[in-house]
Amino acid sequence: MYHDFNVCQPADERGYLPIADHGLIGNLRTAALISIDGSVESYCVPNFDSPSIFVRILDKDKGGHFSITPTVPFTTKQSYLPSSNVLQTKFLNDKGVATVTDFLPRQPSSNTARPLLSWLIRRVEVVRGSISLRMECAPAFNYARSPHTLEIIPDLSIPVPDTTPDHIHNKALFSSSEAKLELDLRYVLESSLAGVPEPNLELQVLDLTEKGHLGHSVFCNLELIEGQAVTFILRTPPERTYPHVAQPSTERAKELGIPFEKLVLGASNLRAPDDPVLTRALVHELLETTNQYWNAWIRRSTYSGSWKEAVHRSALALKLLIYEPTGAVVASPTFSLPEFIGGTRNWDYRASWIRDSSFTLYALIRLGFTHEANAYMDFIFERVKAKNPDGSLKIMYTIHGDKEFPEEELTHLEGHQGSRPVRIGNGAIDHIQLDIYGELMDCIYLGQKYGKPLGYDTWVAVREIVDYAVSVRNDPDLSIWEVRGKKKHFTYSKVMLWVAIDRGIRLADKRCLPCPKRLEWFAARDELYEVIMHKAWNPEGQFFGQSYEDKDVLDSSLMIMPLVFFSTPADPRFLNTLRAILRSPERGGLTSNGLVYRYDVNKSDDGVGGEEGTFCLCTLWCIEALARAGEFDKAMLSKAVAMFEDFLQYTNHLGLCTEEISDAGEALGNAVQGFTHVTLISAAYNLSRMQAKLKI
């Protein structure tokens, strides 16, 4: 996919790019958004939920960025290496072509001896002709709130081949005592063609303080020809194990009465023991092993249906959302990207929602990735053992398992295209959303079929979850949509409470596990089913309403009913609800141009206000519901396939999904959105299954 730039402005003068014009890289600790024009626009260090050092996507002037961009007019193309999360951006000009390869290193799964290097690696190489580029590294520590200092000093991690000063490399050292973080920017020069010299590079100070930056940045201008390459490495440097006075400087050399280059050579022996020598060989090894890691992981997929490319890209995207140390899954690695440009629905999704994570594990299990399922089950069972005194669980936890994720507004940031407020943390962590017990129990049930069997102590904890679901089955809550209004008896929540009880019964029966309250569970499940059928059904409109209180409001989350076996896909009540949702908003429905809204925000007061786009997961739930109904009506299966093919056009140039899509087809909300990729996999899986079953 090409994007034309007729005039290339300096990076600090560039405006906002659309949310869709970004790719994602990661290392199962954190992730970075890379724009189509070669800029790191969002990056938190060292973890997903750490403060950002680059967040220009939320403030073009002072958010911070790390850009490598041509200084001449260019077109650009961005793609992942095959079956990988290594990202490559290509700049094309009449006189030359350059590629920028971005990745966060991963070692092969079989190699546990080498520690994970928390490096952001950016390799720029000219593959044809010549091209001029500019690199700018402008960190903004702690969400652009903390000042920092800059030093340009000799890089002791680079081997010095002789005593010629021309061979001494410098690096940029950024330090923020307030943020308690240091970063250094290093580089490796390379020539891959005989007779072509290594490129020249000089780091220089860049002053962006007039734009609101709280410290100096660095830049360099590159004039590269075919065969020349520069690799930039941004990292948190190891702690110094030598006195600061040993740091080489021209002043120190004069004091000692020795040449500066000799001081550098001597100081190189004082390098920290965990600071590997930075060589071309190491850079190439890291790129190769990282690519091998992703290739080996996706080869384990068992999916062989018609949409393999889209499914595998979604699986690779979901893998990037896993926080490996605990097994937690973030809903999205980004925060506060707007659900409507200029609107207020801007949330932080860098936490592990039980709902989203359970659906994520469902999708990965369907593709054969059971290791991730087992890791998340270990994470969630630890949370279950530490549940609240009343037996409830939080709807989300931090990636470290904490129960606190305080919400805060960053008033100094202008928001993406002026969409305020910018929020970090999420106040919904204290919401009562009773549907989570259904998603969790469904995930546990599926995990028992493909993952580790439950031990007795864990089963006792699971029984307590079901008992809690039974006890609150008639209570109101704030729903899957995390409304900030009053509690209601939301139909989706009631359906998922039914699922929680049902899966508990199934687990006990299939695993022959002791269940002292078996008869009570049966009675509660059947009673709840009858209540939903009576209180959520709108006899005049002939559809299920959003809640017992608002039976005249459609809600597309109810497309979940046949997906969790609450109803059959051929049930007349469900089919009537599906048909009502598939009508256009002008005719009282929720579907516009094949894309589905959550609900009509003008009819349902969710306590938030503002507009929003169509919800991707709702579109995909409708597609899957149509596919399942297609077993009894082939016309519905054909419609499902057509809707799915149409939806794929709204993924970005890399096959990545956001949360919402505007009326104009613009990507909205946090990116990459895990829930969307989960439902894409599930829809594709069940479309393929139904096609095979009906031999279509």
Side-chain angles (χ1 to χ4, degrees), residues 133-192:
L133 303 107
R134 179 182 174 95
M135 182 283 297
E136 293 186 3
C137 185
F141 289 81
N142 187 25
Y143 305 110
R145 293 184 295 188
S146 297
H148 69 268
T149 60
L150 166 67
E151 298 176 86
I152 297 180
I153 58 177
D155 186 357
L156 306 184
S157 65
I158 300 288
V160 182
D162 52 42
T163 58
T164 305
D166 290 344
H167 289 84
I168 296 173
H169 281 232
N170 286 333
K171 70 175 182 178
L173 178 65
F174 305 94
S175 303
S176 176
S177 57
E178 183 177 301
K180 299 179 181 178
L181 183 64
E182 277 192 341
L183 299 170
D184 68 11
L185 177 68
R186 303 178 292 163
Y187 61 89
V188 175
L189 305 176
E190 186 178 344
S191 172
S192 60

Coordinates of all heavy atoms in Angstrom, one line a residue, residues 133-192:
L133 N 18.3 11.2 4.2 CA 17.4 11.0 5.3 C 17.8 11.8 6.5 O 18.9 12.2 6.6 CB 17.3 9.5 5.7 CG 17.0 8.5 4.6 CD1 18.2 7.7 4.2 CD2 15.9 7.6 5.0
R134 N 16.8 12.0 7.4 CA 17.1 12.7 8.7 C 16.6 11.8 9.8 O 15.4 11.3 9.7 CB 16.4 14.0 8.7 CG 16.5 14.8 10.0 CD 15.7 16.1 9.9 NE 15.7 16.9 11.1 CZ 16.6 17.9 11.4 NH1 17.5 18.2 10.5 NH2 16.5 18.6 12.5
M135 N 17.4 11.6 10.8 CA 17.0 10.8 12.0 C 16.8 11.8 13.1 O 17.7 12.7 13.3 CB 18.1 9.8 12.4 CG 17.7 8.9 13.6 SD 17.9 9.7 15.2 CE 19.6 10.1 15.3
E136 N 15.7 11.8 13.8 CA 15.5 12.6 15.0 C 15.1 11.6 16.1 O 14.2 10.8 16.0 CB 14.4 13.6 14.8 CG 14.8 14.7 13.8 CD 13.7 15.8 13.7 OE1 12.7 15.7 14.5 OE2 13.8 16.7 12.9
C137 N 15.7 11.8 17.3 CA 15.3 11.0 18.5 C 15.0 12.1 19.5 O 15.9 12.7 20.1 CB 16.4 10.1 18.9 SG 15.9 9.0 20.3
A138 N 13.7 12.2 19.9 CA 13.2 13.2 20.8 C 12.3 12.6 21.8 O 11.1 12.7 21.8 CB 12.4 14.3 20.0
P139 N 12.9 12.0 22.8 CA 12.1 11.4 23.9 C 11.4 12.4 24.8 O 11.9 13.5 24.9 CB 13.1 10.5 24.7 CG 14.4 11.2 24.5 CD 14.4 11.8 23.1
A140 N 10.3 12.0 25.3 CA 9.5 12.9 26.2 C 9.1 12.0 27.4 O 8.1 11.2 27.3 CB 8.3 13.5 25.5
F141 N 9.9 12.0 28.4 CA 9.8 11.1 29.5 C 8.5 11.3 30.3 O 8.0 12.4 30.4 CB 10.9 11.3 30.5 CG 12.3 10.8 29.9 CD1 13.0 11.5 29.1 CD2 12.8 9.5 30.3 CE1 14.2 11.1 28.6 CE2 14.0 9.0 29.8 CZ 14.7 9.8 28.9
N142 N 7.9 10.1 30.8 CA 6.8 10.2 31.7 C 5.6 10.9 31.1 O 5.1 11.8 31.7 CB 7.2 10.8 33.0 CG 6.2 10.7 34.1 OD1 5.3 9.8 34.1 ND2 6.2 11.6 35.1
Y143 N 5.2 10.5 29.9 CA 4.0 11.1 29.2 C 4.3 12.6 29.0 O 3.4 13.4 29.0 CB 2.8 10.9 30.0 CG 2.4 9.5 30.4 CD1 2.5 9.1 31.7 CD2 2.0 8.6 29.4 CE1 2.1 7.8 32.1 CE2 1.6 7.3 29.8 CZ 1.7 6.9 31.1 OH 1.4 5.6 31.5
A144 N 5.6 12.9 28.7 CA 6.0 14.3 28.4 C 5.8 15.2 29.6 O 5.6 16.4 29.4 CB 5.2 14.8 27.1
R145 N 5.9 14.6 30.8 CA 5.8 15.5 32.0 C 7.1 15.7 32.7 O 7.2 16.7 33.5 CB 4.8 14.8 33.0 CG 3.4 14.7 32.5 CD 2.5 14.1 33.5 NE 2.8 12.7 33.8 CZ 2.0 11.9 34.6 NH1 0.9 12.4 35.2 NH2 2.4 10.7 34.8
S146 N 8.1 14.9 32.4 CA 9.4 15.0 33.2 C 10.5 15.5 32.4 O 10.7 15.1 31.2 CB 9.8 13.6 33.8 OG 8.8 13.2 34.7
P147 N 11.3 16.5 32.9 CA 12.4 17.0 32.2 C 13.5 16.0 32.1 O 13.6 15.1 32.9 CB 12.8 18.3 33.0 CG 12.3 18.0 34.4 CD 11.1 17.2 34.2
H148 N 14.4 16.2 31.1 CA 15.6 15.3 31.0 C 16.8 16.1 30.5 O 16.7 17.2 30.0 CB 15.3 14.2 30.0 CG 15.2 14.6 28.6 ND1 14.0 14.9 28.0 CD2 16.1 14.8 27.6 CE1 14.1 15.3 26.8 NE2 15.4 15.2 26.5
T149 N 18.0 15.5 30.7 CA 19.2 16.1 30.2 C 19.7 15.2 29.1 O 19.3 14.1 28.9 CB 20.3 16.2 31.3 OG1 20.5 14.8 31.8 CG2 19.8 17.0 32.5
L150 N 20.6 15.8 28.3 CA 21.2 15.1 27.1 C 22.7 15.3 27.2 O 23.2 16.4 27.4 CB 20.7 15.7 25.8 CG 21.5 15.3 24.5 CD1 21.3 13.8 24.3 CD2 21.0 16.1 23.3
E151 N 23.4 14.2 27.0 CA 24.9 14.2 26.8 C 25.2 13.4 25.6 O 24.6 12.4 25.3 CB 25.6 13.5 28.0 CG 25.4 14.2 29.3 CD 26.1 13.4 30.4 OE1 27.3 13.6 30.7 OE2 25.4 12.6 31.0
I152 N 26.1 13.9 24.8 CA 26.7 13.2 23.7 C 28.1 12.8 24.1 O 29.0 13.6 24.2 CB 26.7 14.0 22.4 CG1 25.2 14.3 22.0 CG2 27.3 13.2 21.2 CD1 25.1 15.1 20.7
I153 N 28.3 11.5 24.3 CA 29.5 11.0 24.9 C 30.0 9.8 24.1 O 29.3 9.2 23.3 CB 29.3 10.5 26.3 CG1 28.1 9.5 26.4 CG2 28.9 11.7 27.2 CD1 27.9 8.9 27.8
P154 N 31.3 9.4 24.3 CA 31.8 8.2 23.6 C 31.0 6.9 23.9 O 30.6 6.8 25.1 CB 33.2 8.1 24.0 CG 33.6 9.5 24.4 CD 32.3 10.1 25.0
D155 N 30.8 6.1 23.0 CA 30.1 4.8 23.2 C 31.1 3.7 23.5 O 31.8 3.3 22.6 CB 29.3 4.5 21.9 CG 28.4 3.3 22.2 OD1 28.5 2.7 23.3 OD2 27.7 2.9 21.2
L156 N 31.1 3.3 24.7 CA 32.1 2.3 25.2 C 31.7 0.9 24.7 O 32.5 0.0 24.9 CB 32.3 2.3 26.7 CG 32.6 3.7 27.3 CD1 32.8 3.6 28.8 CD2 33.8 4.3 26.6
S157 N 30.5 0.7 24.2 CA 30.1 -0.6 23.8 C 30.5 -0.9 22.3 O 30.2 -2.0 21.8 CB 28.6 -0.8 24.0 OG 27.9 0.1 23.1
I158 N 31.1 0.0 21.6 CA 31.5 -0.1 20.3 C 33.0 -0.4 20.2 O 33.8 0.3 20.8 CB 31.2 1.1 19.4 CG1 29.7 1.4 19.4 CG2 31.7 1.0 18.0 CD1 28.9 0.5 18.6
P159 N 33.4 -1.5 19.6 CA 34.9 -1.8 19.5 C 35.6 -0.7 18.7 O 35.1 -0.2 17.7 CB 35.0 -3.1 18.7 CG 33.6 -3.7 18.7 CD 32.6 -2.5 18.9
V160 N 36.7 -0.2 19.3 CA 37.6 0.8 18.6 C 38.7 0.1 17.9 O 39.6 -0.5 18.6 CB 38.1 1.8 19.6 CG1 38.9 2.9 18.9 CG2 36.9 2.4 20.4
P161 N 38.8 0.0 16.6 CA 39.8 -0.8 15.9 C 41.2 -0.2 15.9 O 42.1 -1.0 15.8 CB 39.3 -0.8 14.4 CG 38.4 0.4 14.3 CD 37.8 0.6 15.6
D162 N 41.3 1.1 16.1 CA 42.7 1.7 16.1 C 42.6 3.0 16.9 O 41.6 3.2 17.6 CB 43.2 1.9 14.7 CG 42.3 2.7 13.9 OD1 41.7 3.7 14.4 OD2 42.1 2.3 12.7
T163 N 43.6 3.7 16.9 CA 43.7 4.9 17.7 C 43.4 6.2 16.9 O 43.7 7.3 17.3 CB 45.1 5.1 18.4 OG1 46.1 5.1 17.3 CG2 45.4 4.0 19.3
T164 N 42.7 6.0 15.8 CA 42.3 7.2 15.0 C 41.0 7.7 15.5 O 40.0 7.0 15.7 CB 42.1 6.7 13.5 OG1 43.3 6.1 13.1 CG2 41.8 8.0 12.7
P165 N 41.0 9.0 15.9 CA 39.8 9.6 16.4 C 38.5 9.4 15.5 O 37.4 9.4 16.0 CB 40.1 11.1 16.6 CG 41.6 11.1 16.7 CD 42.1 10.0 15.8
D166 N 38.7 9.3 14.2 CA 37.6 9.2 13.3 C 36.8 7.9 13.6 O 35.7 7.8 13.2 CB 38.1 9.2 11.9 CG 38.6 10.5 11.4 OD1 38.3 11.5 12.1 OD2 39.3 10.6 10.4
H167 N 37.4 6.9 14.3 CA 36.7 5.7 14.5 C 36.0 5.6 15.9 O 35.5 4.6 16.3 CB 37.7 4.5 14.4 CG 38.2 4.2 13.0 ND1 39.2 4.9 12.4 CD2 37.7 3.3 12.1 CE1 39.4 4.5 11.2 NE2 38.5 3.5 11.0
I168 N 36.1 6.7 16.6 CA 35.4 6.7 17.9 C 34.0 7.1 17.7 O 33.7 8.1 17.2 CB 36.1 7.7 18.8 CG1 37.6 7.3 19.1 CG2 35.4 7.9 20.1 CD1 38.4 8.3 19.9
H169 N 33.1 6.2 18.2 CA 31.7 6.5 18.1 C 31.2 7.2 19.3 O 31.6 7.0 20.4 CB 30.9 5.1 18.0 CG 30.9 4.5 16.7 ND1 29.8 4.1 16.1 CD2 31.9 4.2 15.9 CE1 30.1 3.5 14.9 NE2 31.4 3.6 14.8
N170 N 30.3 8.1 19.1 CA 29.5 8.8 20.2 C 28.2 8.1 20.3 O 27.7 7.4 19.4 CB 29.4 10.3 19.9 CG 30.7 11.0 20.1 OD1 31.5 10.6 20.9 ND2 30.9 12.1 19.4
K171 N 27.6 8.4 21.4 CA 26.2 8.0 21.6 C 25.5 9.1 22.4 O 26.1 10.0 23.0 CB 26.1 6.7 22.4 CG 26.5 6.8 23.9 CD 26.2 5.5 24.6 CE 26.6 5.6 26.1 NZ 26.3 4.4 26.8
A172 N 24.2 9.1 22.3 CA 23.4 10.1 23.0 C 22.8 9.5 24.3 O 22.3 8.4 24.3 CB 22.2 10.6 22.2
L173 N 23.0 10.1 25.4 CA 22.5 9.7 26.7 C 21.5 10.6 27.2 O 21.8 11.8 27.5 CB 23.7 9.5 27.7 CG 23.3 9.0 29.1 CD1 22.8 7.6 29.1 CD2 24.5 9.1 30.1
F174 N 20.3 10.1 27.3 CA 19.2 10.9 27.9 C 18.9 10.5 29.3 O 18.8 9.3 29.6 CB 17.9 10.7 27.1 CG 18.0 11.0 25.6 CD1 18.3 10.0 24.7 CD2 17.8 12.3 25.1 CE1 18.4 10.2 23.3 CE2 18.0 12.5 23.7 CZ 18.3 11.5 22.9
S175 N 18.8 11.4 30.2 CA 18.6 11.1 31.6 C 17.5 11.9 32.2 O 17.5 13.2 32.1 CB 19.9 11.3 32.4 OG 21.0 10.6 31.9
S176 N 16.6 11.3 32.9 CA 15.5 12.0 33.6 C 15.5 11.5 35.1 O 15.1 10.3 35.3 CB 14.2 11.7 33.0 OG 13.2 12.3 33.7
S177 N 16.0 12.3 36.0 CA 16.0 11.9 37.4 C 14.6 11.8 37.9 O 14.3 11.0 38.8 CB 16.8 12.9 38.2 OG 16.4 14.2 38.1
E178 N 13.7 12.7 37.4 CA 12.3 12.7 37.9 C 11.6 11.4 37.5 O 10.8 10.9 38.2 CB 11.6 13.9 37.3 CG 10.2 14.1 37.8 CD 9.5 15.4 37.3 OE1 10.1 16.5 37.6 OE2 8.5 15.3 36.6
A179 N 11.8 11.0 36.2 CA 11.2 9.8 35.7 C 12.0 8.5 36.1 O 11.5 7.4 35.9 CB 11.1 9.8 34.2
K180 N 13.2 8.7 36.7 CA 14.1 7.6 37.2 C 14.3 6.7 36.0 O 14.2 5.4 36.1 CB 13.4 6.9 38.3 CG 13.2 7.7 39.6 CD 12.5 6.9 40.7 CE 12.3 7.9 41.9 NZ 11.6 7.1 43.0
L181 N 14.8 7.3 34.9 CA 15.0 6.5 33.7 C 16.1 7.1 32.9 O 16.2 8.3 32.8 CB 13.7 6.4 32.8 CG 13.8 5.6 31.6 CD1 14.0 4.1 31.9 CD2 12.5 5.7 30.8
E182 N 17.0 6.3 32.3 CA 18.0 6.7 31.4 C 17.8 5.9 30.1 O 17.4 4.8 30.1 CB 19.4 6.4 31.9 CG 20.0 7.4 32.8 CD 21.5 7.2 33.1 OE1 22.0 6.1 32.8 OE2 22.1 8.1 33.5
L183 N 18.1 6.6 29.0 CA 18.1 5.9 27.7 C 19.3 6.3 26.9 O 19.8 7.5 27.1 CB 16.9 6.4 26.8 CG 15.5 6.1 27.4 CD1 14.4 6.8 26.5 CD2 15.2 4.6 27.3
D184 N 19.9 5.4 26.2 CA 21.0 5.8 25.3 C 20.7 5.4 23.9 O 20.0 4.4 23.6 CB 22.4 5.4 25.8 CG 22.6 3.9 25.7 OD1 21.8 3.1 25.1 OD2 23.6 3.4 26.3
L185 N 21.1 6.2 22.9 CA 21.0 5.9 21.5 C 22.3 5.7 20.9 O 23.2 6.5 20.9 CB 20.3 7.1 20.8 CG 20.1 7.0 19.3 CD1 19.1 5.9 19.0 CD2 19.7 8.3 18.7
R186 N 22.5 4.5 20.4 CA 23.8 4.1 19.8 C 23.5 3.8 18.3 O 22.4 3.7 17.9 CB 24.3 2.8 20.5 CG 24.5 3.0 22.0 CD 25.0 1.8 22.7 NE 24.0 0.7 22.7 CZ 24.3 -0.6 22.9 NH1 25.5 -0.9 23.1 NH2 23.3 -1.5 22.9
Y187 N 24.6 3.5 17.6 CA 24.5 3.2 16.2 C 25.6 2.3 15.7 O 26.7 2.3 16.3 CB 24.4 4.5 15.3 CG 25.6 5.4 15.4 CD1 26.7 5.2 14.5 CD2 25.7 6.4 16.4 CE1 27.8 6.1 14.6 CE2 26.7 7.2 16.4 CZ 27.8 7.1 15.6 OH 28.9 7.9 15.6
V188 N 25.4 1.6 14.7 CA 26.4 0.7 14.1 C 26.4 1.1 12.6 O 25.3 1.1 11.9 CB 26.1 -0.8 14.2 CG1 27.1 -1.6 13.4 CG2 26.1 -1.1 15.7
L189 N 27.6 1.4 12.0 CA 27.7 1.7 10.6 C 28.1 0.5 9.8 O 28.8 -0.4 10.3 CB 28.8 2.8 10.4 CG 28.6 4.1 11.2 CD1 29.8 5.0 11.1 CD2 27.3 4.8 10.8
E190 N 27.7 0.4 8.6 CA 27.9 -0.8 7.8 C 27.9 -0.5 6.3 O 27.2 0.3 5.8 CB 26.7 -1.8 8.1 CG 26.9 -3.2 7.5 CD 25.7 -4.1 7.9 OE1 25.0 -3.8 8.9 OE2 25.6 -5.1 7.3
S191 N 28.7 -1.3 5.6 CA 28.8 -1.3 4.2 C 28.7 -2.8 3.7 O 29.5 -3.6 4.2 CB 30.0 -0.7 3.6 OG 30.1 -0.9 2.2
S192 N 27.8 -3.1 2.9 CA 27.6 -4.5 2.4 C 28.2 -4.8 1.0 O 28.1 -5.9 0.5 CB 26.2 -4.9 2.4 OG 25.4 -4.1 1.6

